[in-house]
Amino acid sequence: MTKKYTVLPAFLLSAFIASATPLASPDGKLAIEPGLDSAGHPTYSVSFNGLPVVSSGILGLKADEADFTSFAEIKEGAVVAEDNTWKPVWGEFETIRDNYTEMPVEYTTSDGRKITVRFRAYNDGVAFRYEIPEQQKVNYLTLRDEATTFPLAEDLSVFAIPGDYDTDERLYVESPVSQLGKRMRVRRHTESSGIPGVSVQTPLMAKSTKNKLYVNIHEAALVGYPAMALEVDTANIVFKAHLTPDRNGVRGYLQAPFHTPWRTLIISDDARDILASQLILNLNEPCAIENTDWIKPMKFVGVWWEMFVGRSRTWAYSNKYNAKPGITDYSSLESNGRHPANTENVKKYIDFAAENGIDGVLVEGWNEGWEDWAGWRKNRQFIFDKAYPDFDVEALRDYAAEKGVKLIMHHETAANAADYERQLDRAFQFMVDNNYPAVKTGYVGHIIPRSEYHSSQWMVDHYLHVAQRAADYKIMVDSHEAVRPTGLCRTWPNWIAQESARGGEFESMGGNPPEHTCLLPFTRLKGGPMDYTPGLFQADLSYYGEGKNGGGKTTLARQLALYVTMASPLQMACDLPENYNRFPDAFQFIRDVPLDWSDSRWLEAEPGDYITVARREKNGNDWYIGGVTDENARIAMLDFSFLEPGKKYTATIYEDGADADFRSNQQSYNIRKIKVNSKTKLKQKVAPGGGFAIQIKAADDLAGL
Ligand code: NOJ
Ligand code: CA
């Protein structure tokens, strides 16, 4: 069915608004209603259970060559309904249901240019994207602006980090939209990155204080386009899309036919549904890799944390700074004696991994270039196939293979993406030759090409290119400082994790307040798994006696919970082996916890306050529960009805000790075993800044143990 409306000139009927049929979600609870206002702007409104969520948001794109913000005609296309299931290579569920209704709406300008806005309504949210079809008079487009706005029907309370072209490694601010200007703690960087006024980054989490309403705003399938931040109009409670420009002010270079990423709103009256939503993955294309056998979740340890915790260790091999990589003969340099990426030390980590069933060892600081950490000042810094003299690539390759452990390579590009692309094939071939199945990439610094930012179009293309090229070499990628993810790991499951948020490393730099990990699953993790690096047992860094005080804002038991609440197919056990050896009974949980799940059930959740989730391991019957709280102690209410009725289970509970507190008594924990079944209800105490982790095994699986 198609309908056609013509907009009357504004002077004839100034209040005229043409609207298309609202598109309802399969369960009828959500609706998205396209329209055209009296000025010819395309609009959309969103409602949930009849409650307005977005009221008359504006749509449109503006390019130098063509303006797609004002139209004369709106034509509604036929509604299609889809209901499929698909299986991710790894993830939180074995099977994901993709169930939606879809309607394309075509807008035509008075001079005949066309754009289609494709709307989708799922039971867990709505989405839309712009499609510029092939047509006469439209070919290349120099994109200047995306007009999309999200006028909220209510002054929602949001959890957001400041808008920024270059980093997502910020702490969240909780504030009503109207107060964001006053509450945004980090303004300086925002201003220097060029976003006018108040702005926020997505994924952004919002909740109503009046109605039962939770909204998450983000984007899905960011390909060939810049990442979106949101400008905030605090007076009118409106967010507006702010696309990352290059330094010439251009947002994107496009060619028709073309479509943008999806703009997504995950919506529910229950915060747990926001966590359970698979909308962003569903909006991404199916897996593009034919044979995925080589993509394997990995748990790993690494020399990495030694460099953060105050053992005065360095990524660099020598003290000779301002060396000239590629020119200097590194073999003539003298070691500074504080370089953990050396053969002997790495062997110890390999031994530890082998003894504890840990799959991999990450080695940072193994290659030439760290002596001159200022990559953006010149054209070349790191060499990705030349090891330092004390790192014996072949010996370690053979040693790791003997022990059944995989090495994970590190490519810190110092944000010199251009040079990384030049070296990429050689670097990946070097990895293949030396048995490295995974690489952690890094982009610390100012991007080269100098015209770009971390989230501009050129860089968005770069990260994807690296993941795609890595797939050709059967290499998994964990990118740090890359653009926030948008579900592309469905299409490229070898892009196994990303950082793209303030991670566990900040526990060595002032700490992450406990609410941070009660927020990340609602925000950053909606785009894909995070390499958060949990497992910090020695959070109080004064232990090392090197003038580092305080540090980690966590209890030990909470760190175990993070493996479940922050699910990722790539999980580090970040702490030093010696610290795990001090607490072997607690470390047992890290050894046991799976990385891949067949089912996930959120038992309790409130953004910024607490999260409790139960997950069943992939290819097995064991369940695991992770629970975290913010700075407040609480009692988690666990209902075990997710277990198979009639079956008996034993639960091993790793919990905060009675006197545990993230401020004063981090290492107080307790481990106990109880019998549970599907009728069990448990009140679980959680310390301030604490958490708990539970392993649940069916009693018959325990026979013979
Ligand atoms: C920042 C990354 O997040 C961290 O994990 C890494 O160790 C350093 N850059 C050095 O590359
Ligand atoms: Ca980082």
Side-chain angles (χ1 to χ4, degrees), residues 640-651:
F640 285 73
S641 57
F642 55 85
L643 293 176
E644 207 179 298
K647 232 180 167 171
K648 292 181 181 155
Y649 297 82
T650 296

Side-chain angles (χ1 to χ4, degrees), residues 227-275:
M228 173 181 73
L230 300 171
E231 292 166 21
V232 191
D233 174 348
T234 53
N236 298 301
I237 322 293
V238 178
F239 295 122
K240 176 183 174 301
H242 182 99
L243 304 180
T244 310
D246 63 17
R247 287 181 202 266
N248 297 321
V250 176
R251 317 274 158 172
Y253 296 92
L254 314 175
Q255 186 181 13
F258 176 82
H259 64 77
T260 68
W262 295 92
R263 276 56 188 102
T264 61
L265 293 121
I266 305 172
I267 301 168
S268 179
D269 52 5
D270 186 332
R272 295 175 302 174
D273 295 343
I274 305 289
L275 298 176

Side-chain angles (χ1 to χ4, degrees), residues 23 50 58 137 143 176 196 214 321 334 428 458 460 490 542 553 556 581 617 653:
L23 179 70
I58 302 286
K137 296 199 267 186
L143 187 67
Y214 297 87
Y321 291 94
E334 225 178 273
F428 285 163
W458 195 93
V460 165
R490 173 179 177 185
S542 58
K553 295 183 169 146
L556 191 152
N581 290 336
E617 65 178 338
I653 304 177

